[in-house]
Amino acid sequence: MLYLIRKMRSQFNSWALLSFIFSILIILPALLIMVQLFAESNENWEHIKEFMLKNYIINSVTLVIFTGLFTVIIGVCAAWLVTAYTFPLQRFFKWGMILPLAIPPYIGAYTYHGILNYTGVIQTNLRNHFDIKVDQKFFDIMNIPGAIFIFTLFLYPYVFIITRSFLENQSSSLIENARILGKSSFQTFIQVVLPISRTAIVGGVSLVILEVFNDYGVVKYFGIQTFSTAIFQAWFGMGDIQSAIKLAGTLMVIVVFILIAEKLIRGRKRYSYSTSKVRPLQPKELKGWKKYSVLSLFLTWFAFAFLIPSIQLLQWVYMTYDVILNEVFLDLIWNSVFVASIGSALIVITALIIANFSRLSKGWFSQFFSKITVLGYSLPGAVIAIGVLTLFLALDQKVIVLYEWIGLEPTLVLSLSISMLIFAYVVRFLAVGYNSIESGFEKVGTAFTDASRTLGMSVTKTFFKVDIKMIKGAVAGGFILVFVDILKELPLTLILQPFNFYTLATKTFQYASDERIHEASVSSIVIIFISALSIFFLHKVLEKEPK
Amino acid sequence: MFVQIKDLTFNYKNSRKPLFENLSLGFKQGEVTVILGQSGSGKSTLLRLIAGLEIPARGSISIDRAVMNDSLRFVQPEKRGVGLVFQDYALFPHMTVEKNIKFGLHKMSRKQKQNRMEELLTLVGMEEFASRYPYELSGGQQQRVALARALAPNPSLIMFDEPFSNLDSKLQEQIRDDLKDIIKLTGITSIFVTHDEEDARAIGDRIVLMHDGKIQEAGRPEAVFKKNREKLSLAYV
Amino acid sequence: MHKKNLFTTIIMVLIVAVIMAGCGKSNDGASSGNDKAASKEEKNSGEVNLYTSRHYDVDDQIFADFTKETGIKVNVIKGKEDELIERLSREGKATKGDLFFTSDAGRLHWAKEKDLLQSVESETLNKNIPENLADKDKQWYGLTKRARVIVYSKDKVDPSELSTYEALTEDKWKGKVLIRSSENIYNQSLVSSFISLNGKEEAKNWAEGIVKNMARDPQGGDRDQAKGIVAGEGDVAIMNSYYFGQMLNSEDPEEVKVAKQLSVFFPNQETTGTHINISGIGVTKYAKNKENAIKLMEYLSSADVQKVFAEANYEYPVNKEVEPSELLKSWGEFKEQDLNLSELGENNADAVKILNEVSWK
């Protein structure tokens, strides 16, 4: 017993306290929603179960399985080709293949539908210049295969990034050995690269799967009924929060199942073998027909996933910019960048604190904190939004007394301020920043921290003098990934925006939901531009830094 | 005894069987002790326990008559005044040699810090490398810097975790001898951990033979080796 | 040592707090800056807070004009209708929202059902807005009106073949009807109106008949249905009148081309009338600026504003004194469903269930 108290005292410090506070804050909104999960089912739920549930499951699972499969194939192959070979533009594709991440899938969906439909550029040209009328079936993208196409185009970078950095840093000796042992490139790929990068691939694809489960924009626009549309329909359409929560709960069970499966596959392996001798893989030069076929594969893919949608959007911008561009639009950009920066900064700080704590103290308690960070990422944005709103309203109610005491009129302060929105971003995207920072810590190990402590630096001093400097790449990487995610975020922003506050994403949505896709192009292109710039920055600044 | 370990029990998370059970051991002031054992015998963990980097389940550790931990107290590693040279040196890659050595110097004026740093560089024979970054140094040079860094704050005890495992064998002898000289020069209490019999023989005033978390034998090198010839040769085939 | 830890804890909490306060403040700063600017230009007569699901730029223009005329500042949150309702109901008594503005009577009714609106008595509103386009209890009022019409291919369909919504379920139209998904509120309200006029049984028969005759699985918005006709996927489409107006005036010449090959038909002229719906507005139950809110409603229903308001989006004005735009007049006058629009909302839940039961995607 004495030892237990001593143990608690020896591990209890400001890091534990802050981790505890942040974790509670993050778990609260979800808890507020989840308590309603156990309410008795009502008539609507029976109706949903009878007529719709099976459909939701089939559609969602179909989307997830095929998107997962295709993103793995494309992401892994591309990652292998850019790390193991040199060919023209290879250096560009190393980060260029991440660029499609700048295009939110919902904008990709609007754009591809705009390109392919009857009045789209392809059919119009065929009709007007060649007098060809095509069967609409071949140009119909608004169905499940179409959605899989869109998701694959814009989500594969998750698999690509993780697999690529794994192959670059971790695998050189194994792959070089395979080559020396006389394996052909293809054999090396199948027998060595795939098995050793399994954990990295699974990490990437589980992000893809979570994104697909949470997507609302694409499936809603394409008229595909999935869990997320069903949650919206039940909650907002039927006004039945209980059924919505039962659906969200079902979804969460599936997501948790996937996360556990990921952990099991990962097992006790980590993404990195922690040796201090990291040597990059020496790429081999491709020659002849191989060079050109690989190059054309990359060019084609890049065109589909980035160039074509961007060019189409630019053409629409040209059609509509005179109406849309004005000083109000500058406000939109400012608002978007402002909330995204603050949100990302807070996420990085929170993630650093929790990750550092759970890394240094090995108890179940701290492991529990690190698992909580994923919670927000596995819940649909709208569910989080309502949870956060409920929490802030409750807080407001509590502090109204305080407001009165200060002399303010009793009113909503917190729940109408932008801090509510930013808090919700933190809950939603903490996992993204956390993963980046955690993998940064994993790569560095604890030796440097231990060294610093035996040299007389406390945990906190060590953190500022050693730890944070050694993982600044991962910190910046996490910041940028979160920044881009917040910039693209839609459902949560729509519900929690304060008065007269619009962002690029909500503006895009407003036009698109009125079926005015052309007008939506200006804000879309700015989102893509800022995100692409961030990705470029991520590559240029962070990946060039000496180890 | 300068360092006194009493009834120490420790187990790693996720493992039922404790690594140490009621382990007791002492180290005399100014003595160079080598803990010899195979990998997995728990010798590195023992160093980490003394340094305060791991928390024992039971038992007490005291250094220079000050209790570091028992059932009530736990002194954080930064307060123990113990130097530790890590197996792969753990030099901070974002700092120069100079900054690395100055890292552990607190409550000193800038001038004092500079003097101390220069003093140590001279001691380890690395005067010309002050402004280099660790990745610009060879393995042996890195080790000297690591030693200088650990000695800089003037610890009452210095510990080495497999100090020669990352060096090639030719270099190893040379460095071993240098290291021995430096330690003798400073007269500091030292604990080495190694799996190499030769190293143990060359450096140790006293040898502690460790196997599977238990102390097999402790004493003068000659005596220990003589008595355990059979066991040792079996273990190191 | 513990003292030191406590100290760092406090410092870190403070940092976070300052950052949080910083965001809060900079926002407040921005808005109060706006307030100041506004009050310098205009006499300060307070403000009115609006939750709206309409996103037309003309709305902002009209609100700005209103501010100019009255000095009342209009603060706006734009969102999806269902989520705004959820937000209002969560905020309860504490809400800052004074007005709720959305399209579709079904949604407005639902807001009323959730006890989010309050009755408003205003002679101006009673005069400007016909009785059937407002809530029975005056909790909401319609401001613009749209019809859900049949659009047909000029080449392939003779208007004499068209008669009623019900006729589209006949075998003659098998594989030729284009209509969007049942998730859409416009279709739900259409079915609701049939429930009111013909009973549940008939409404379900109709929905079943349409599903049977669909040219393709429902997909896309109303405009996509019109494009589907020209692309040869079907012959007739059910869509809202203003979308057709928007297409005729689109920035995209191809859309204009599509629309020119189509024509509008108002169904059920001999029987129950064409289905109409509104976008409408109501004062929230816990409005803090009720008077200002009513002023804005009256302003929006006034003849001058109605003209701009409706025309900009090719909708019909609700104010009888105002004539519809030339384009809408060219489509001709039509007989509307004789129905108080409250009923669309009352029947919504049944309509959704019917649509699910007949597997209307």
Side-chain angles (χ1 to χ4, degrees), chain B residues 41 60 157:
Chain B
S41 60
S60 70
L157 168 70

Side-chain angles (χ1 to χ4, degrees), chain A residues 226-280:
Chain A
T226 63
F227 265 107
S228 55
T229 59
I231 291 168
F232 275 75
Q233 170 112 17
W235 192 333
F236 304 119
M238 294 178 168
D240 179 2
I241 187 164
Q242 283 169 19
S243 299
I245 285 162
K246 281 196 190 316
L247 284 167
T250 316
L251 179 64
M252 264 196 49
V253 170
I254 298 177
V255 167
V256 167
F257 179 76
I258 291 171
L259 291 175
I260 291 173
E262 194 250 2
K263 275 273 168 312
L264 285 182
I265 290 177
R266 219 200 308 180
R268 287 170 57 207
K269 282 180 223 143
R270 302 230 151 175
Y271 286 128
S272 58
Y273 306 125
S274 50
T275 83
S276 46
K277 291 176 204 147
V278 172
R279 191 162 40 93

